[in-house]
Amino acid sequence: MTRGIVDCDIHPNMASDAELLPFMPRRWADHLRDYGPLNHQGLAFALQHPRFNPGVARADSWPPNGGPPGSDLDFMRAHHLDAHNIDHGILMSLRPAGCDERNLDYGAAICAAANDWQHARFVQPEPRLHGGIMIPQEDPDAAVAEIERCVAKGGFVQVNFTPRASEPPGRRRYRRILECAAHHGLPVGFHVSGVPGHPSTGAGHLTYYLQEHHSNMPGMQAVVASLVLDGVFAALPALKVVLIEGGFTWAPALCWRMDQAWRRMRGEVPALTRPPSDYVREHIWYTTQPIEEPDRAEDLAEISGWVGWDRIMFSTDYPHWDFDDPRYAFRCPLTAAQRELVFSANARALYRLP
Amino acid sequence: MSRHVVARVSEVPPEGALRVTVKGRPIALFNLSGEFFALYDRCPHEGASLCAGRRVSIAVADTPGEYRLERRGEMIRCPWHGWDFDIRTGQSWCDPEHTRVRRYAVSVEAGERLAKGPFRAESVPVSVEDDYLVVEV
Amino acid sequence: MPTALHGAIDCDVHIPPPPTAALLPYLDAYWREQFTIRGLVGADFALTTSASRTPLACRPDWRPGKGESGLALLQRHVLDHFGTGIAIGHCLHGAVALHTEDMAAALCRAVNDWVAAEWLSRDDRLRASILVPTQNVALAVAEIERCAADRRFVQVLVLAMLDHPLGRRQWWPLHEAAARHGLPLGIHAGGLNRHATTPTGWPSTHLEDHVVGAQAFDAQLASLLTEGVFTKFPDLRVVLLESGFTWLPTFLWRMNKIWRGLRAEVPWVTRLPADILRQHVRITLQPVDAPPRPEMLAATLAQIDCDDMLLFSTDYPHWQFDADAALPEGLPEALLPKLLRGNALATFPRLAETAP
Ligand code: FES
């Protein structure tokens, strides 16, 4: 491959929420200090399925000069961008989480500050890195305003939508946000995240982190079913969606199930004029990590063909523990053309990168 | 097979690890309460350096909910996806039949003896006062 | 009559829940009076998730005519038509969704006794599952104990979406009783709607609800596996009813992968998850949720890589296939003997006692 790689999932990090303060108006900086987040879960600051690794990170990703993994741009450059020949990295800020904050105005202030922080600390100093716009999605007016603001500012290539929201993303309350993203030609990235108060599965709350980690994958299926069957793509033909960190080999089977049920019950969803799988094929992209590892490596190639090689984009999830190394992620042989699509061309085209 | 002087014993602290390169090959040296072991320093999964991993024990349970540790600190957990490897044998815990990392014989030799050869000590200057780790590659 | 299915064991047919009036003779005096004076005799206890009015709920040419009983319809459309050897019936009565658990237990008892008297005793090709009040594990176990002596009950029946996943230790007395009596745990599509059915909230349509309902099975298998239910009860078999199965390859691969990294969190799981699941889990054939080309179905089965898992079913009267196409294209010939009979006989020990 002559060109370098595009990594569609890199996590910038901050040493503490205090790094946001310079980017917040006094009113909300005071709120952060005096009140803090109001969550849909029992714990205020920690996750209820404690993770398996400090910082949820690769043990070798702690910057030598201190701070948590992902917080030191110089170290990220050497350890990741240079080491893996990465031409472009798409940033995915995860905290602090303004998007599911119950105090909507505070959530909006957090998102705006996190976007400015991301821009100042990573996007501006490093041309290889591109921002994702964090939005207070439970307040569509504010979310739209934040997208407009960031578009004007420049440096952002995606709108980040939390897949675990109060309601499925296809619900009408969110439509304006998706419409705004489509209008600006920005893909909407759904990266595993969000604590909406719902159990992580329809079967109820889970016991182990192992289950919680696994539930990201069926969670992504719920996102797809909602967007497709609630008519989002039928209404917004220009919308492009990226599913990040949910894997991809499940997509064909979900399409088969949707198509089968739609053939019986299409009377309920007249807005869908084509089989659900058509909308999926046209509107949805997938990032690879954490890549599926079939017992027979060739199964991965076969299913990738069913999904569509033009829709699969490599990602590492750096610096998180379930990182994929670009050299070894695919255990099945790829043709040169497939490799070019997955590691570079698909993402360059989608995010309009050189 | 050749034997290589790779480090002074004191460079691999108790319960610590050191990465060295022998004939272009990365090798992880482990100190297990004064015993030394050497493994190929590339995880067979996606290639992480095992030296950067954490020391763990084997967790066992005869029945759900009753946890017990065995082999205290004798496993190295890959710094990436957490596969555990037996420091003594290189065998993987999650897939012992199919997955292992290559193990190399290590010995501790006195500098005095090393000065006589026939060891190779390209990168480690040998002094007669110290003890050294010698790996067979 | 399609001969390929002659003598097959159909592991999922539906016994339509009876009107409450039909259950009165099977309720004890207290509950009979309660139902009568509280005006509940006319109440419809259909489950939301069984979506009984949707086109999926009943194949158009299987819709009941006037005056024909449910049993007569089943006989005409399935048992006689296909020459079925044995059919396992499920009566998904809404008793299981009531918050009032003693009433739920009374209704479950009535439903099971009604099934035995009005269905099992009238056609010896029929077997049934025990409907249990999952509101309270002790009551559920009591119902298993009460029904288990009747060998025509071959399975315990629960819904896929309850308050808590089925692997949790609070459920273990249920699993213990099921395993002890040689009754697989049958987990049927649907649920109680006690919480949102997806991690991102409530779906908008019956269609979406049906589609995402399959993911509850993913969660139940992950729960049973990680909590160590199969370690604790090695004889327990779990049957997924109407889960589809084409999602299984990715699920198995991902469980293996995540277990390799997080094994220390569940040290009682000492073998590859996919191997444990292949040993303990069985899945009914319909709905197939089939791919567009038959060779993709064959490829999917090869990815599942286990001939023991699938159990033939029609899912009568749900509209899963048309005409006689109960077997999807793409099934390997060699799989048919196991699919149609062998796997069912191995899964439900009670079937072999009386298998024709
Ligand atoms: S690289 Fe070691 S476990 Fe994946």
Side-chain angles (χ1 to χ4, degrees):
Chain A
M1 204 183 324
T2 47
R3 295 189 292 182
I5 286 171
V6 182
D7 178 353
C8 293
D9 186 17
I10 296 178
H11 296 289
N13 204 352
M14 55 185 76
S16 86
D17 292 357
E19 282 190 35
L20 282 187
L21 295 176
F23 301 95
M24 296 178 94
R26 179 74 188 276
R27 154 86 178 87
W28 293 114
D30 288 350
H31 187 97
L32 171 61
R33 186 193 60 219
D34 298 340
Y35 298 92
L38 185 57
N39 297 337
H40 298 87
Q41 64 159 21
L43 295 178
F45 301 107
L47 292 166
Q48 293 184 155
H49 292 97
R51 302 316 199 224
F52 235 55
N53 297 285
V56 207
R58 283 169 50 171
D60 59 354
S61 67
W62 292 79
N65 297 328
S71 65
D72 180 330
L73 177 58
D74 281 335
F75 182 67
M76 183 190 281
R77 283 184 178 120
H79 191 221
H80 186 55
L81 302 179
D82 300 343
H84 291 117
N85 189 25
I86 289 167
D87 279 358
H88 299 283
I90 312 299
L91 293 176
M92 184 54 65
S93 253
L94 289 180
R95 58 174 288 251
C99 29
D100 50 13
E101 170 61 43
R102 279 152 64 192
N103 179 329
L104 295 179
D105 292 337
Y106 176 56
I110 288 281
C111 287
N115 288 330
D116 289 344
W117 168 87
Q118 181 189 164
H119 193 271
R121 295 289 159 81
F122 289 87
V123 175
Q124 217 164 38
E126 176 48 71
R128 284 174 289 184
L129 295 176
H130 309 279
I133 306 171
M134 296 173 81
I135 50 165
Q137 62 197 41
E138 300 308 337
D139 181 352
D141 288 343
V144 166
E146 183 60 15
I147 294 172
E148 303 284 359
R149 192 183 73 85
C150 290
V151 166
K153 192 177 172 93
F156 294 89
V157 296
Q158 179 165 254
V159 172
N160 297 352
F161 200 105
T162 290
R164 294 190 178 179
S166 292
E167 291 204 83
R171 299 279 292 170
R172 201 162 298 153
R173 64 195 293 188
Y174 302 120
R175 197 68 52 91
R176 292 189 46 223
I177 304 174
L178 303 175
E179 193 176 358
C180 175
H183 169 74
H184 288 291
L186 293 169
V188 177
F190 287 84
H191 181 287
V192 163
S193 61
V195 183
H198 308 301
S200 307
T201 75
H205 285 287
L206 307 174
T207 307
Y208 299 105
Y209 171 51
L210 189 159
Q211 294 166 279
E212 178 66 13
H213 187 284
H214 169 74
S215 74
N216 292 331
M217 184 268 281
M220 282 300 178
Q221 300 185 33
V223 166
V224 173
S226 171
L227 291 171
V228 172
L229 301 176
D230 231 336
V232 170
F233 298 124
L236 302 174
L239 181 64
K240 294 172 176 173
V241 160
V242 188
L243 305 179
I244 304 163
E245 206 173 337
F248 60 94
T249 61
W250 46 265
L254 177 69
C255 286
W256 307 337
R257 182 171 175 85
M258 288 199 294
D259 284 359
Q260 166 75 9
W262 173 78
R263 282 191 285 270
R264 301 285 186 251
M265 302 210 267
R266 57 188 293 185
E268 194 188 15
V269 288
L272 268 62
T273 52
R274 294 183 286 149
S277 58
D278 272 22
Y279 297 102
V280 171
R281 188 68 182 80
E282 206 166 286
H283 293 271
I284 292 184
W285 280 252
Y286 312 81
T287 66
T288 51
Q289 176 279 339
I291 198 159
E292 280 89 2
E293 296 176 39
D295 308 332
R296 301 177 309 178
E298 63 271 23
D299 288 341
L300 184 63
E302 181 167 42
I303 296 190
S304 298
W306 297 350
V307 171
W309 287 103
D310 58 338
R311 286 296 185 267
I312 300 171
M313 306 191 295
F314 177 73
S315 63
T316 64
D317 196 29
Y318 181 87
H320 289 170
W321 73 277
D322 38 359
F323 168 91
D324 272 331
D325 186 302
R327 290 164 297 177
Y328 309 110
F330 277 84
R331 278 164 196 72
C332 57
L334 305 190
T335 66
Q338 289 164 349
R339 187 162 285 279
E340 169 69 12
L341 288 172
V342 170
F343 285 88
S344 174
N346 291 339
R348 286 178 205 262
L350 180 70
Y351 293 115
R352 297 184 291 198
L353 303 171
Chain B
M1 274 307 180
S2 50
R3 303 187 71 202
H4 299 256
V5 182
V6 292
R8 274 197 307 277
V9 162
S10 57
E11 287 178 86
V12 192
E15 314 322 312
L18 180 72
R19 174 183 245 229
V20 296
T21 306
V22 181
K23 287 195 188 161
R25 212 171 302 194
I27 290 183
L29 300 171
F30 296 102
N31 180 340
L32 202 65
S33 311
E35 277 185 276
F36 292 89
F37 298 92
L39 300 177
Y40 185 44
D41 194 27
R42 257 189 101 259
C43 177
H45 180 225
E46 286 195 22
S49 160
L50 298 176
C51 269
R54 298 184 178 91
R55 285 290 183 90
V56 295
S57 315
I58 293 184
V60 288
D62 300 326
T63 194
E66 287 176 18
Y67 307 83
R68 202 171 74 239
L69 289 184
E70 289 178 353
R71 309 270 316 273
R72 294 294 176 91
E74 295 192 6
M75 311 293 284
I76 188 78
R77 176 161 297 165
C78 176
W80 293 2
H81 315 104
W83 293 14
D84 293 339
F85 297 91
D86 188 331
I87 288 172
R88 292 177 182 277
T89 64
Q91 204 164 46
S92 137
W93 185 43
C94 67
D95 186 15
E97 274 138 62
H98 306 104
T99 306
R100 58 164 59 237
V101 280
R102 169 112 197 241
R103 190 183 84 140
Y104 300 95
V106 199
S107 57
V108 177
E109 307 282 357
E112 210 171 340
R113 195 169 114 70
L114 290 177
K116 298 187 192 129
F119 307 100
R120 294 165 172 237
E122 302 100 290
S123 55
V124 186
V126 173
S127 104
V128 288
E129 292 90 57
D130 277 323
D131 288 338
Y132 293 85
L133 294 173
V134 174
V135 172
E136 224 172 274
V137 177
Chain C
M1 181 202 292
T3 50
L5 298 180
H6 198 85
I9 299 177
D10 186 340
C11 295
D12 181 31
V13 300
H14 285 268
I15 294 176
T20 306
L23 292 177
L24 287 180
Y26 300 94
L27 289 168
D28 67 27
Y30 171 80
W31 287 111
R32 200 177 312 130
E33 181 177 292
Q34 286 284 307
F35 272 76
T36 309
I37 62 166
R38 287 164 75 171
L40 299 175
V41 174
D44 183 343
F45 288 104
L47 289 162
T48 301
T49 49
S50 69
S52 48
R53 288 188 189 158
T54 71
L56 195 58
C58 188
R59 202 169 113 168
D61 56 333
W62 284 344
R63 295 212 176 257
K66 272 222 171 67
E68 209 172 1
S69 74
L71 178 60
L73 284 166
L74 174 68
Q75 288 165 333
R76 183 156 67 83
H77 292 314
V78 178
L79 304 182
D80 299 341
H81 180 76
F82 290 114
T84 308
I86 298 177
I88 302 173
H90 305 118
C91 185
L92 286 175
H93 190 280
V96 292
L98 296 169
H99 286 287
T100 310
E101 60 191 39
D102 286 336
M103 182 189 277
L107 273 172
C108 285
R109 287 194 294 273
V111 167
N112 291 325
D113 288 349
W114 174 85
V115 164
E118 313 276 337
W119 291 71
L120 303 183
S121 296
R122 293 188 180 172
D123 192 319
D124 59 14
R125 291 169 293 186
L126 279 178
R127 302 291 180 277
S129 293
I130 306 170
L131 184 73
V132 293
T134 39
Q135 291 88 340
N136 177 313
V137 177
L139 293 174
V141 169
E143 186 58 6
I144 294 174
E145 301 294 350
R146 198 183 70 86
C147 296
D150 183 341
R151 310 294 290 181
R152 300 171 303 177
F153 284 108
V154 299
Q155 176 171 248
V156 173
L157 180 62
V158 300
L159 292 177
M161 291 181 278
L162 304 168
D163 295 81
H164 307 290
L166 284 159
R168 298 196 64 141
R169 290 177 204 161
Q170 69 202 65
W171 292 108
W172 287 12
L174 182 84
H175 305 326
E176 187 278 326
R180 178 162 40 82
H181 287 293
L183 298 162
L185 178 68
I187 305 175
H188 195 285
L192 307 178
N193 284 359
R194 295 274 169 85
H195 50 250
T197 51
T198 84
T200 187
W202 298 95
S204 304
T205 57
H206 287 286
L207 170 60
E208 186 184 342
D209 203 49
H210 167 79
V211 165
V212 299
Q215 292 158 18
F217 291 98
D218 168 305
Q220 293 294 11
L221 291 189
S223 172
L224 290 162
L225 177 100
T226 54
E227 301 264 7
V229 169
F230 301 122
T231 311
K232 187 79 183 171
F233 307 105
D235 297 333
L236 184 69
R237 291 292 175 274
V238 166
V239 179
L240 307 186
L241 300 155
E242 291 171 40
S243 59
F245 59 88
T246 50
W247 51 271
L248 207 59
T250 296
F251 172 75
L252 295 175
W253 299 334
R254 291 187 73 105
M255 288 309 292
N256 279 355
K257 171 164 174 156
I258 191 70
W259 172 79
R260 286 191 173 108
L262 301 179
R263 180 177 170 177
E265 194 185 24
V266 290
W268 43 87
V269 182
T270 55
R271 291 191 294 143
L272 269 181
D275 291 345
I276 297 174
L277 294 166
R278 287 185 183 110
Q279 183 187 345
H280 289 272
V281 177
R282 304 292 174 255
I283 302 181
T284 58
L285 179 67
Q286 296 286 353
V288 177
D289 295 332
R293 297 195 311 273
E295 67 271 21
M296 292 164 81
L297 184 66
T300 301
L301 290 170
Q303 290 159 7
I304 293 172
D305 195 19
C306 179
D307 285 352
D308 302 329
M309 292 182 89
L310 288 184
L311 307 173
F312 173 71
S313 72
T314 57
D315 191 17
Y316 172 86
H318 296 174
W319 189 11
Q320 307 295 9
F321 60 90
D322 289 306
D324 293 335
L327 294 176
E329 279 181 80
L331 284 180
E333 266 307 297
L335 181 61
L336 292 185
K338 285 184 133 186
L339 172 77
L340 293 172
R341 281 182 69 86
N343 289 346
L345 290 172
T347 302
F348 302 96
R350 292 175 170 221
L351 291 186
E353 295 168 7
T354 52

